[in-house]
């Protein structure tokens, strides 16, 4: 029976990496382990930031937002992915697919803006240390975080609605592991030039411009660090930025590869592997990078853990 529009499609079939059945068990195991690390690592980081008053600063407020974002982002995609790998059940409802796409787009867009905001906070802290408490006051950094979330959600809402109202004409097999917007647009049997235009604008505003702002911030940061006379001072200043810079490289490297490269009709296995890196590996590394590279977080972690272990003693 011929189906003429998107309303006729009630579910989608996710067939990403189905050509490699021998990898299913390995991918299930790896994704499950990484998901547990993501939940535990980011949750622990949030708890430590809340409990230790010394970490009630703009930098750690933004880091807490980033950890919460990573938990939400991975929880929207990894559990369905694990179901696909383990049980072979590859179907997802139309509304479930729309919700998954909206969450991944919104949270991914929010992280782009949030990383730029964090770079600005590092710029103020290193380039204007005496005025930093005045510039980055509580009202400002709370508003900056809030607008990061609002911007990401608005971008997600526009792109999701613009995609899901298009006709799919019965095409419901998505050559991807999740309801990723690029894979979904390949099923549309109508002109998608407006969607491509909106996606290009969104990618420019939420990927390229924040990355440019991060680059400019670090040019000024590096210039200020090089003017510090003591080696210890330079080391301390650089250590406060190295964790954020590492996360930026991991996140933007995979994001730019996914959304800024030339589009093709066929999904390559490399695209799906990069998608896994973007959606699983990067959120896993975030708490590890910040805890290993940050002396304040390590000290706070020791204090909080020792305090709770003492409470557990008889």
């Amino acid at each position: 029976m011929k189906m003429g529009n998107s309303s006729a499609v009630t579910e989608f079939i996710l067939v990403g990496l189905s050509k490699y059945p021998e990898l299913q068990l390995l991918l299930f195991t790896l994704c499950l382990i990484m998901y547990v690390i993501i939940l535990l690592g980011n949750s622990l980081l949030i708890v430590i930031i809340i409990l230790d008053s010394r970490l009630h600063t703009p930098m750690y407020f933004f880091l807490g937002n980033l950890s919460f974002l990573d938990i939400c982002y991975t929880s929207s995609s990894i559990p369905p992915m694990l179901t696909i790998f383990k049980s072979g059940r590859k179907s997802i409802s139309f509304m479930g697919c729309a919700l998954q796409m909206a969450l991944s787009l919104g949270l991914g867009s929010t992280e782009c803006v949030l990383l730029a905001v964090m770079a600005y906070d590092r710029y103020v802290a290193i380039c204007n240390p005496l005025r930093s408490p005045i510039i980055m006051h509580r009202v400002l950094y709370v508003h900056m975080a809030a607008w990061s979330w609002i911007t990401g959600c608005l971008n997600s809402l526009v792109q999701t609605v613009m995609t899901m109202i298009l006709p799919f004409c019965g095409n419901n097999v998505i050559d991807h592991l999740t309801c990723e917007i690029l894979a979904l647009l390949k099923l549309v049997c109508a002109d998608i030039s407006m969607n491509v235009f909106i996606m290009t604008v969104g990618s420019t505003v939420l990927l390229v411009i924040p990355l440019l702002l991060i680059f400019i911030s670090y040019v000024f940061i590096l210039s200020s660090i090089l003017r510090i006379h003591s080696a210890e001072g330079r080391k301390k200043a650089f250590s406060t930025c190295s964790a954020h810079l590492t996360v930026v490289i991991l996140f933007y490297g995979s994001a730019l590869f996914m959304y800024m490269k030339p589009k093709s009709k066929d999904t390559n296995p490399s695209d799906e592997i990069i998608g896994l890196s973007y959606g699983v590996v990067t959120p896993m590394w975030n708490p590890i990078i910040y805890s290993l590279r940050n002396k304040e977080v390590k000290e706070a972690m020791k204090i909080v853990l020792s305090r709770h272990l003492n409470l557990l003693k008889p």
Side-chain angles (χ1 to χ4, degrees), residues 73 101 104-105 108-109 112 159 176 178-183 196 199-200 202-204 207 251-263 274-275 278:
Y73 182 87
M101 186 172 69
S104 62
L105 270 175
S109 301
C112 292
Q159 294 208 44
H176 209 275
T178 60
C179 286
E180 201 271 330
I181 186 169
L182 294 176
V196 173
M199 188 182 301
T200 303
S203 298
T204 302
L207 275 174
F251 177 80
Y252 273 97
S254 54
L256 286 171
F257 180 89
M258 285 182 64
Y259 292 104
M260 299 302 290
K261 70 184 184 67
K263 307 298 184 294
I274 293 295
Y278 175 78

PDB file of all heavy atoms in Angstrom, residues 73 101 104-105 108-109 112 159 176 178-183 196 199-200 202-204 207 251-263 274-275 278:
ATOM      1  N   TYR A  73      22.045  13.742  27.866  1.00  0.00           N
ATOM      2  CA  TYR A  73      22.320  13.462  26.449  1.00  0.00           C
ATOM      3  C   TYR A  73      22.497  11.961  26.216  1.00  0.00           C
ATOM      4  O   TYR A  73      21.884  11.382  25.316  1.00  0.00           O
ATOM      5  CB  TYR A  73      23.561  14.225  26.005  1.00  0.00           C
ATOM      6  CG  TYR A  73      23.897  14.052  24.547  1.00  0.00           C
ATOM      7  CD1 TYR A  73      23.326  14.887  23.590  1.00  0.00           C
ATOM      8  CD2 TYR A  73      24.763  13.056  24.113  1.00  0.00           C
ATOM      9  CE1 TYR A  73      23.617  14.729  22.234  1.00  0.00           C
ATOM     10  CE2 TYR A  73      25.054  12.885  22.774  1.00  0.00           C
ATOM     11  CZ  TYR A  73      24.483  13.727  21.845  1.00  0.00           C
ATOM     12  OH  TYR A  73      24.764  13.557  20.509  1.00  0.00           O
ATOM     13  N   MET A 101      15.527  12.738  18.706  1.00  0.00           N
ATOM     14  CA  MET A 101      16.218  13.716  17.881  1.00  0.00           C
ATOM     15  C   MET A 101      16.200  15.089  18.536  1.00  0.00           C
ATOM     16  O   MET A 101      17.204  15.810  18.529  1.00  0.00           O
ATOM     17  CB  MET A 101      15.583  13.785  16.495  1.00  0.00           C
ATOM     18  CG  MET A 101      16.338  14.690  15.527  1.00  0.00           C
ATOM     19  SD  MET A 101      15.726  14.578  13.832  1.00  0.00           S
ATOM     20  CE  MET A 101      14.127  15.361  14.017  1.00  0.00           C
ATOM     21  N   SER A 104      18.743  15.055  21.512  1.00  0.00           N
ATOM     22  CA  SER A 104      20.149  15.046  21.086  1.00  0.00           C
ATOM     23  C   SER A 104      20.550  16.372  20.456  1.00  0.00           C
ATOM     24  O   SER A 104      21.634  16.899  20.723  1.00  0.00           O
ATOM     25  CB  SER A 104      20.402  13.897  20.113  1.00  0.00           C
ATOM     26  OG  SER A 104      19.626  14.042  18.934  1.00  0.00           O
ATOM     27  N   LEU A 105      19.661  16.941  19.629  1.00  0.00           N
ATOM     28  CA  LEU A 105      19.948  18.241  19.014  1.00  0.00           C
ATOM     29  C   LEU A 105      20.018  19.351  20.060  1.00  0.00           C
ATOM     30  O   LEU A 105      20.930  20.178  20.052  1.00  0.00           O
ATOM     31  CB  LEU A 105      18.870  18.578  17.988  1.00  0.00           C
ATOM     32  CG  LEU A 105      19.085  18.119  16.546  1.00  0.00           C
ATOM     33  CD1 LEU A 105      17.848  18.438  15.715  1.00  0.00           C
ATOM     34  CD2 LEU A 105      20.308  18.778  15.932  1.00  0.00           C
ATOM     35  N   GLY A 108      23.079  18.779  22.446  1.00  0.00           N
ATOM     36  CA  GLY A 108      24.319  19.013  21.713  1.00  0.00           C
ATOM     37  C   GLY A 108      24.536  20.487  21.422  1.00  0.00           C
ATOM     38  O   GLY A 108      25.653  21.009  21.559  1.00  0.00           O
ATOM     39  N   SER A 109      23.467  21.188  21.024  1.00  0.00           N
ATOM     40  CA  SER A 109      23.560  22.621  20.752  1.00  0.00           C
ATOM     41  C   SER A 109      23.879  23.394  22.025  1.00  0.00           C
ATOM     42  O   SER A 109      24.679  24.341  22.014  1.00  0.00           O
ATOM     43  CB  SER A 109      22.240  23.134  20.159  1.00  0.00           C
ATOM     44  OG  SER A 109      21.923  22.459  18.963  1.00  0.00           O
ATOM     45  N   CYS A 112      27.560  23.213  22.855  1.00  0.00           N
ATOM     46  CA  CYS A 112      28.375  24.109  22.034  1.00  0.00           C
ATOM     47  C   CYS A 112      28.469  25.495  22.666  1.00  0.00           C
ATOM     48  O   CYS A 112      29.560  26.065  22.808  1.00  0.00           O
ATOM     49  CB  CYS A 112      27.782  24.244  20.628  1.00  0.00           C
ATOM     50  SG  CYS A 112      27.860  22.759  19.622  1.00  0.00           S
ATOM     51  N   GLN A 159      14.455  22.750  14.293  1.00  0.00           N
ATOM     52  CA  GLN A 159      14.928  21.728  13.364  1.00  0.00           C
ATOM     53  C   GLN A 159      14.105  20.443  13.454  1.00  0.00           C
ATOM     54  O   GLN A 159      13.844  19.787  12.431  1.00  0.00           O
ATOM     55  CB  GLN A 159      16.407  21.439  13.621  1.00  0.00           C
ATOM     56  CG  GLN A 159      17.320  22.608  13.301  1.00  0.00           C
ATOM     57  CD  GLN A 159      18.711  22.153  12.898  1.00  0.00           C
ATOM     58  OE1 GLN A 159      18.872  21.215  12.121  1.00  0.00           O
ATOM     59  NE2 GLN A 159      19.721  22.821  13.420  1.00  0.00           N
ATOM     60  N   HIS A 176      21.230   4.277  10.619  1.00  0.00           N
ATOM     61  CA  HIS A 176      21.992   4.878  11.716  1.00  0.00           C
ATOM     62  C   HIS A 176      21.594   4.187  13.010  1.00  0.00           C
ATOM     63  O   HIS A 176      20.598   3.461  13.065  1.00  0.00           O
ATOM     64  CB  HIS A 176      21.709   6.387  11.806  1.00  0.00           C
ATOM     65  CG  HIS A 176      22.855   7.174  12.369  1.00  0.00           C
ATOM     66  ND1 HIS A 176      23.055   7.328  13.725  1.00  0.00           N
ATOM     67  CD2 HIS A 176      23.854   7.856  11.756  1.00  0.00           C
ATOM     68  CE1 HIS A 176      24.134   8.072  13.925  1.00  0.00           C
ATOM     69  NE2 HIS A 176      24.639   8.405  12.748  1.00  0.00           N
ATOM     70  N   THR A 178      20.878   5.832  15.856  1.00  0.00           N
ATOM     71  CA  THR A 178      19.901   6.670  16.555  1.00  0.00           C
ATOM     72  C   THR A 178      19.118   7.486  15.526  1.00  0.00           C
ATOM     73  O   THR A 178      19.452   7.491  14.345  1.00  0.00           O
ATOM     74  CB  THR A 178      20.595   7.634  17.543  1.00  0.00           C
ATOM     75  OG1 THR A 178      21.490   8.485  16.821  1.00  0.00           O
ATOM     76  CG2 THR A 178      21.383   6.866  18.605  1.00  0.00           C
ATOM     77  N   CYS A 179      18.105   8.202  16.007  1.00  0.00           N
ATOM     78  CA  CYS A 179      17.336   9.086  15.123  1.00  0.00           C
ATOM     79  C   CYS A 179      18.111  10.377  14.937  1.00  0.00           C
ATOM     80  O   CYS A 179      17.759  11.425  15.508  1.00  0.00           O
ATOM     81  CB  CYS A 179      15.956   9.353  15.723  1.00  0.00           C
ATOM     82  SG  CYS A 179      14.842   7.953  15.601  1.00  0.00           S
ATOM     83  N   GLU A 180      19.147  10.296  14.158  1.00  0.00           N
ATOM     84  CA  GLU A 180      20.015  11.440  13.886  1.00  0.00           C
ATOM     85  C   GLU A 180      19.449  12.202  12.700  1.00  0.00           C
ATOM     86  O   GLU A 180      18.998  11.608  11.720  1.00  0.00           O
ATOM     87  CB  GLU A 180      21.431  10.933  13.607  1.00  0.00           C
ATOM     88  CG  GLU A 180      22.513  11.960  13.800  1.00  0.00           C
ATOM     89  CD  GLU A 180      22.753  12.742  12.526  1.00  0.00           C
ATOM     90  OE1 GLU A 180      22.551  12.173  11.438  1.00  0.00           O
ATOM     91  OE2 GLU A 180      23.140  13.919  12.622  1.00  0.00           O
ATOM     92  N   ILE A 181      19.448  13.526  12.782  1.00  0.00           N
ATOM     93  CA  ILE A 181      18.721  14.342  11.812  1.00  0.00           C
ATOM     94  C   ILE A 181      19.212  14.148  10.383  1.00  0.00           C
ATOM     95  O   ILE A 181      18.413  14.100   9.444  1.00  0.00           O
ATOM     96  CB  ILE A 181      18.762  15.839  12.216  1.00  0.00           C
ATOM     97  CG1 ILE A 181      17.864  16.661  11.282  1.00  0.00           C
ATOM     98  CG2 ILE A 181      20.196  16.372  12.246  1.00  0.00           C
ATOM     99  CD1 ILE A 181      17.633  18.072  11.744  1.00  0.00           C
ATOM    100  N   LEU A 182      20.514  14.015  10.178  1.00  0.00           N
ATOM    101  CA  LEU A 182      21.036  13.842   8.823  1.00  0.00           C
ATOM    102  C   LEU A 182      20.567  12.526   8.217  1.00  0.00           C
ATOM    103  O   LEU A 182      20.214  12.457   7.035  1.00  0.00           O
ATOM    104  CB  LEU A 182      22.560  13.897   8.837  1.00  0.00           C
ATOM    105  CG  LEU A 182      23.196  15.242   9.217  1.00  0.00           C
ATOM    106  CD1 LEU A 182      24.711  15.119   9.279  1.00  0.00           C
ATOM    107  CD2 LEU A 182      22.793  16.327   8.233  1.00  0.00           C
ATOM    108  N   ALA A 183      20.555  11.463   9.035  1.00  0.00           N
ATOM    109  CA  ALA A 183      20.087  10.161   8.551  1.00  0.00           C
ATOM    110  C   ALA A 183      18.588  10.193   8.266  1.00  0.00           C
ATOM    111  O   ALA A 183      18.110   9.580   7.311  1.00  0.00           O
ATOM    112  CB  ALA A 183      20.407   9.077   9.582  1.00  0.00           C
ATOM    113  N   VAL A 196      18.081  22.087   4.895  1.00  0.00           N
ATOM    114  CA  VAL A 196      19.535  22.182   4.756  1.00  0.00           C
ATOM    115  C   VAL A 196      20.006  23.595   5.086  1.00  0.00           C
ATOM    116  O   VAL A 196      21.023  23.798   5.760  1.00  0.00           O
ATOM    117  CB  VAL A 196      19.973  21.777   3.333  1.00  0.00           C
ATOM    118  CG1 VAL A 196      21.466  22.049   3.135  1.00  0.00           C
ATOM    119  CG2 VAL A 196      19.665  20.302   3.079  1.00  0.00           C
ATOM    120  N   MET A 199      19.728  24.089   8.827  1.00  0.00           N
ATOM    121  CA  MET A 199      20.788  23.335   9.490  1.00  0.00           C
ATOM    122  C   MET A 199      22.142  24.017   9.316  1.00  0.00           C
ATOM    123  O   MET A 199      22.960  24.063  10.243  1.00  0.00           O
ATOM    124  CB  MET A 199      20.842  21.908   8.938  1.00  0.00           C
ATOM    125  CG  MET A 199      21.789  20.999   9.709  1.00  0.00           C
ATOM    126  SD  MET A 199      21.871  19.359   8.981  1.00  0.00           S
ATOM    127  CE  MET A 199      20.161  18.881   9.089  1.00  0.00           C
ATOM    128  N   THR A 200      22.385  24.570   8.118  1.00  0.00           N
ATOM    129  CA  THR A 200      23.642  25.269   7.867  1.00  0.00           C
ATOM    130  C   THR A 200      23.756  26.510   8.746  1.00  0.00           C
ATOM    131  O   THR A 200      24.815  26.771   9.340  1.00  0.00           O
ATOM    132  CB  THR A 200      23.749  25.675   6.389  1.00  0.00           C
ATOM    133  OG1 THR A 200      23.638  24.509   5.568  1.00  0.00           O
ATOM    134  CG2 THR A 200      25.078  26.370   6.111  1.00  0.00           C
ATOM    135  N   GLY A 202      22.150  26.976  11.589  1.00  0.00           N
ATOM    136  CA  GLY A 202      22.299  26.504  12.960  1.00  0.00           C
ATOM    137  C   GLY A 202      23.709  26.028  13.256  1.00  0.00           C
ATOM    138  O   GLY A 202      24.263  26.310  14.321  1.00  0.00           O
ATOM    139  N   SER A 203      24.313  25.295  12.305  1.00  0.00           N
ATOM    140  CA  SER A 203      25.677  24.815  12.488  1.00  0.00           C
ATOM    141  C   SER A 203      26.665  25.972  12.563  1.00  0.00           C
ATOM    142  O   SER A 203      27.624  25.938  13.340  1.00  0.00           O
ATOM    143  CB  SER A 203      26.065  23.876  11.335  1.00  0.00           C
ATOM    144  OG  SER A 203      25.247  22.733  11.308  1.00  0.00           O
ATOM    145  N   THR A 204      26.412  27.009  11.769  1.00  0.00           N
ATOM    146  CA  THR A 204      27.299  28.176  11.790  1.00  0.00           C
ATOM    147  C   THR A 204      27.182  28.931  13.106  1.00  0.00           C
ATOM    148  O   THR A 204      28.191  29.277  13.739  1.00  0.00           O
ATOM    149  CB  THR A 204      26.964  29.122  10.619  1.00  0.00           C
ATOM    150  OG1 THR A 204      27.095  28.411   9.389  1.00  0.00           O
ATOM    151  CG2 THR A 204      27.897  30.330  10.607  1.00  0.00           C
ATOM    152  N   LEU A 207      28.009  26.109  16.090  1.00  0.00           N
ATOM    153  CA  LEU A 207      29.273  25.374  16.028  1.00  0.00           C
ATOM    154  C   LEU A 207      30.443  26.302  15.698  1.00  0.00           C
ATOM    155  O   LEU A 207      31.408  26.393  16.461  1.00  0.00           O
ATOM    156  CB  LEU A 207      29.189  24.255  14.987  1.00  0.00           C
ATOM    157  CG  LEU A 207      28.602  22.909  15.423  1.00  0.00           C
ATOM    158  CD1 LEU A 207      28.472  21.981  14.230  1.00  0.00           C
ATOM    159  CD2 LEU A 207      29.472  22.269  16.491  1.00  0.00           C
ATOM    160  N   PHE A 251      35.060  17.351  21.679  1.00  0.00           N
ATOM    161  CA  PHE A 251      33.670  17.602  21.312  1.00  0.00           C
ATOM    162  C   PHE A 251      33.556  18.214  19.920  1.00  0.00           C
ATOM    163  O   PHE A 251      32.827  17.712  19.064  1.00  0.00           O
ATOM    164  CB  PHE A 251      33.021  18.528  22.346  1.00  0.00           C
ATOM    165  CG  PHE A 251      31.606  18.900  22.013  1.00  0.00           C
ATOM    166  CD1 PHE A 251      30.559  18.029  22.283  1.00  0.00           C
ATOM    167  CD2 PHE A 251      31.312  20.118  21.419  1.00  0.00           C
ATOM    168  CE1 PHE A 251      29.246  18.369  21.972  1.00  0.00           C
ATOM    169  CE2 PHE A 251      29.999  20.470  21.106  1.00  0.00           C
ATOM    170  CZ  PHE A 251      28.974  19.588  21.381  1.00  0.00           C
ATOM    171  N   TYR A 252      34.279  19.290  19.686  1.00  0.00           N
ATOM    172  CA  TYR A 252      34.145  19.983  18.413  1.00  0.00           C
ATOM    173  C   TYR A 252      34.753  19.204  17.258  1.00  0.00           C
ATOM    174  O   TYR A 252      34.303  19.325  16.113  1.00  0.00           O
ATOM    175  CB  TYR A 252      34.793  21.372  18.493  1.00  0.00           C
ATOM    176  CG  TYR A 252      33.854  22.421  19.017  1.00  0.00           C
ATOM    177  CD1 TYR A 252      33.872  22.780  20.357  1.00  0.00           C
ATOM    178  CD2 TYR A 252      32.931  23.040  18.189  1.00  0.00           C
ATOM    179  CE1 TYR A 252      33.010  23.729  20.852  1.00  0.00           C
ATOM    180  CE2 TYR A 252      32.063  23.991  18.673  1.00  0.00           C
ATOM    181  CZ  TYR A 252      32.106  24.338  19.999  1.00  0.00           C
ATOM    182  OH  TYR A 252      31.234  25.278  20.485  1.00  0.00           O
ATOM    183  N   GLY A 253      35.765  18.384  17.529  1.00  0.00           N
ATOM    184  CA  GLY A 253      36.348  17.575  16.468  1.00  0.00           C
ATOM    185  C   GLY A 253      35.325  16.646  15.848  1.00  0.00           C
ATOM    186  O   GLY A 253      35.151  16.605  14.623  1.00  0.00           O
ATOM    187  N   SER A 254      34.603  15.906  16.702  1.00  0.00           N
ATOM    188  CA  SER A 254      33.593  14.974  16.187  1.00  0.00           C
ATOM    189  C   SER A 254      32.355  15.708  15.671  1.00  0.00           C
ATOM    190  O   SER A 254      31.754  15.301  14.676  1.00  0.00           O
ATOM    191  CB  SER A 254      33.203  13.972  17.279  1.00  0.00           C
ATOM    192  OG  SER A 254      32.799  14.642  18.454  1.00  0.00           O
ATOM    193  N   ALA A 255      31.956  16.817  16.339  1.00  0.00           N
ATOM    194  CA  ALA A 255      30.765  17.558  15.915  1.00  0.00           C
ATOM    195  C   ALA A 255      30.971  18.190  14.540  1.00  0.00           C
ATOM    196  O   ALA A 255      30.083  18.136  13.678  1.00  0.00           O
ATOM    197  CB  ALA A 255      30.418  18.631  16.945  1.00  0.00           C
ATOM    198  N   LEU A 256      32.125  18.794  14.320  1.00  0.00           N
ATOM    199  CA  LEU A 256      32.401  19.417  13.021  1.00  0.00           C
ATOM    200  C   LEU A 256      32.472  18.364  11.916  1.00  0.00           C
ATOM    201  O   LEU A 256      32.032  18.592  10.789  1.00  0.00           O
ATOM    202  CB  LEU A 256      33.712  20.209  13.082  1.00  0.00           C
ATOM    203  CG  LEU A 256      33.651  21.526  13.857  1.00  0.00           C
ATOM    204  CD1 LEU A 256      35.047  22.120  14.035  1.00  0.00           C
ATOM    205  CD2 LEU A 256      32.744  22.527  13.153  1.00  0.00           C
ATOM    206  N   PHE A 257      33.018  17.189  12.251  1.00  0.00           N
ATOM    207  CA  PHE A 257      33.090  16.112  11.261  1.00  0.00           C
ATOM    208  C   PHE A 257      31.695  15.674  10.842  1.00  0.00           C
ATOM    209  O   PHE A 257      31.423  15.416   9.666  1.00  0.00           O
ATOM    210  CB  PHE A 257      33.860  14.923  11.834  1.00  0.00           C
ATOM    211  CG  PHE A 257      33.974  13.759  10.878  1.00  0.00           C
ATOM    212  CD1 PHE A 257      35.037  13.678  10.002  1.00  0.00           C
ATOM    213  CD2 PHE A 257      33.017  12.751  10.856  1.00  0.00           C
ATOM    214  CE1 PHE A 257      35.145  12.612   9.110  1.00  0.00           C
ATOM    215  CE2 PHE A 257      33.112  11.686   9.964  1.00  0.00           C
ATOM    216  CZ  PHE A 257      34.184  11.626   9.093  1.00  0.00           C
ATOM    217  N   MET A 258      30.777  15.616  11.821  1.00  0.00           N
ATOM    218  CA  MET A 258      29.423  15.134  11.538  1.00  0.00           C
ATOM    219  C   MET A 258      28.587  16.143  10.756  1.00  0.00           C
ATOM    220  O   MET A 258      27.901  15.794   9.798  1.00  0.00           O
ATOM    221  CB  MET A 258      28.698  14.801  12.852  1.00  0.00           C
ATOM    222  CG  MET A 258      29.143  13.510  13.501  1.00  0.00           C
ATOM    223  SD  MET A 258      28.224  13.172  14.999  1.00  0.00           S
ATOM    224  CE  MET A 258      26.566  12.966  14.354  1.00  0.00           C
ATOM    225  N   TYR A 259      28.647  17.413  11.158  1.00  0.00           N
ATOM    226  CA  TYR A 259      27.680  18.376  10.646  1.00  0.00           C
ATOM    227  C   TYR A 259      28.222  19.366   9.619  1.00  0.00           C
ATOM    228  O   TYR A 259      27.437  20.056   8.971  1.00  0.00           O
ATOM    229  CB  TYR A 259      27.066  19.160  11.813  1.00  0.00           C
ATOM    230  CG  TYR A 259      26.203  18.290  12.686  1.00  0.00           C
ATOM    231  CD1 TYR A 259      26.651  17.858  13.924  1.00  0.00           C
ATOM    232  CD2 TYR A 259      24.957  17.864  12.257  1.00  0.00           C
ATOM    233  CE1 TYR A 259      25.870  17.031  14.718  1.00  0.00           C
ATOM    234  CE2 TYR A 259      24.168  17.037  13.043  1.00  0.00           C
ATOM    235  CZ  TYR A 259      24.634  16.627  14.275  1.00  0.00           C
ATOM    236  OH  TYR A 259      23.868  15.808  15.046  1.00  0.00           O
ATOM    237  N   MET A 260      29.541  19.435   9.452  1.00  0.00           N
ATOM    238  CA  MET A 260      30.085  20.411   8.521  1.00  0.00           C
ATOM    239  C   MET A 260      30.737  19.781   7.295  1.00  0.00           C
ATOM    240  O   MET A 260      31.130  20.473   6.369  1.00  0.00           O
ATOM    241  CB  MET A 260      31.122  21.303   9.232  1.00  0.00           C
ATOM    242  CG  MET A 260      30.557  22.111  10.391  1.00  0.00           C
ATOM    243  SD  MET A 260      29.204  23.204   9.929  1.00  0.00           S
ATOM    244  CE  MET A 260      30.061  24.442   8.961  1.00  0.00           C
ATOM    245  N   LYS A 261      30.855  18.443   7.284  1.00  0.00           N
ATOM    246  CA  LYS A 261      31.447  17.795   6.124  1.00  0.00           C
ATOM    247  C   LYS A 261      30.423  17.695   4.992  1.00  0.00           C
ATOM    248  O   LYS A 261      29.222  17.788   5.229  1.00  0.00           O
ATOM    249  CB  LYS A 261      31.970  16.396   6.479  1.00  0.00           C
ATOM    250  CG  LYS A 261      30.891  15.367   6.757  1.00  0.00           C
ATOM    251  CD  LYS A 261      31.524  14.065   7.180  1.00  0.00           C
ATOM    252  CE  LYS A 261      30.451  12.984   7.369  1.00  0.00           C
ATOM    253  NZ  LYS A 261      29.813  12.599   6.121  1.00  0.00           N
ATOM    254  N   PRO A 262      30.881  17.485   3.741  1.00  0.00           N
ATOM    255  CA  PRO A 262      29.937  17.346   2.623  1.00  0.00           C
ATOM    256  C   PRO A 262      28.970  16.194   2.853  1.00  0.00           C
ATOM    257  O   PRO A 262      29.355  15.132   3.328  1.00  0.00           O
ATOM    258  CB  PRO A 262      30.856  17.063   1.423  1.00  0.00           C
ATOM    259  CG  PRO A 262      32.172  17.635   1.815  1.00  0.00           C
ATOM    260  CD  PRO A 262      32.283  17.456   3.303  1.00  0.00           C
ATOM    261  N   LYS A 263      27.695  16.427   2.561  1.00  0.00           N
ATOM    262  CA  LYS A 263      26.664  15.417   2.784  1.00  0.00           C
ATOM    263  C   LYS A 263      26.634  14.421   1.634  1.00  0.00           C
ATOM    264  O   LYS A 263      26.841  14.763   0.476  1.00  0.00           O
ATOM    265  CB  LYS A 263      25.287  16.082   2.901  1.00  0.00           C
ATOM    266  CG  LYS A 263      25.238  17.205   3.928  1.00  0.00           C
ATOM    267  CD  LYS A 263      25.543  16.706   5.321  1.00  0.00           C
ATOM    268  CE  LYS A 263      25.384  17.820   6.362  1.00  0.00           C
ATOM    269  NZ  LYS A 263      26.346  18.900   6.239  1.00  0.00           N
ATOM    270  N   ILE A 274      32.061   7.788  14.314  1.00  0.00           N
ATOM    271  CA  ILE A 274      32.240   9.157  14.797  1.00  0.00           C
ATOM    272  C   ILE A 274      31.034   9.579  15.626  1.00  0.00           C
ATOM    273  O   ILE A 274      31.162  10.269  16.647  1.00  0.00           O
ATOM    274  CB  ILE A 274      32.445  10.136  13.623  1.00  0.00           C
ATOM    275  CG1 ILE A 274      33.785   9.858  12.918  1.00  0.00           C
ATOM    276  CG2 ILE A 274      32.410  11.581  14.093  1.00  0.00           C
ATOM    277  CD1 ILE A 274      35.008  10.128  13.787  1.00  0.00           C
ATOM    278  N   GLY A 275      29.838   9.149  15.199  1.00  0.00           N
ATOM    279  CA  GLY A 275      28.633   9.443  15.965  1.00  0.00           C
ATOM    280  C   GLY A 275      28.695   8.831  17.356  1.00  0.00           C
ATOM    281  O   GLY A 275      28.272   9.453  18.342  1.00  0.00           O
ATOM    282  N   TYR A 278      31.042  10.955  19.368  1.00  0.00           N
ATOM    283  CA  TYR A 278      30.388  12.219  19.696  1.00  0.00           C
ATOM    284  C   TYR A 278      29.373  12.046  20.825  1.00  0.00           C
ATOM    285  O   TYR A 278      29.266  12.887  21.722  1.00  0.00           O
ATOM    286  CB  TYR A 278      29.704  12.749  18.431  1.00  0.00           C
ATOM    287  CG  TYR A 278      28.864  13.986  18.592  1.00  0.00           C
ATOM    288  CD1 TYR A 278      29.452  15.246  18.685  1.00  0.00           C
ATOM    289  CD2 TYR A 278      27.475  13.906  18.622  1.00  0.00           C
ATOM    290  CE1 TYR A 278      28.672  16.387  18.811  1.00  0.00           C
ATOM    291  CE2 TYR A 278      26.693  15.040  18.745  1.00  0.00           C
ATOM    292  CZ  TYR A 278      27.298  16.278  18.838  1.00  0.00           C
ATOM    293  OH  TYR A 278      26.525  17.400  18.958  1.00  0.00           O
TER     294      TYR A 278
END
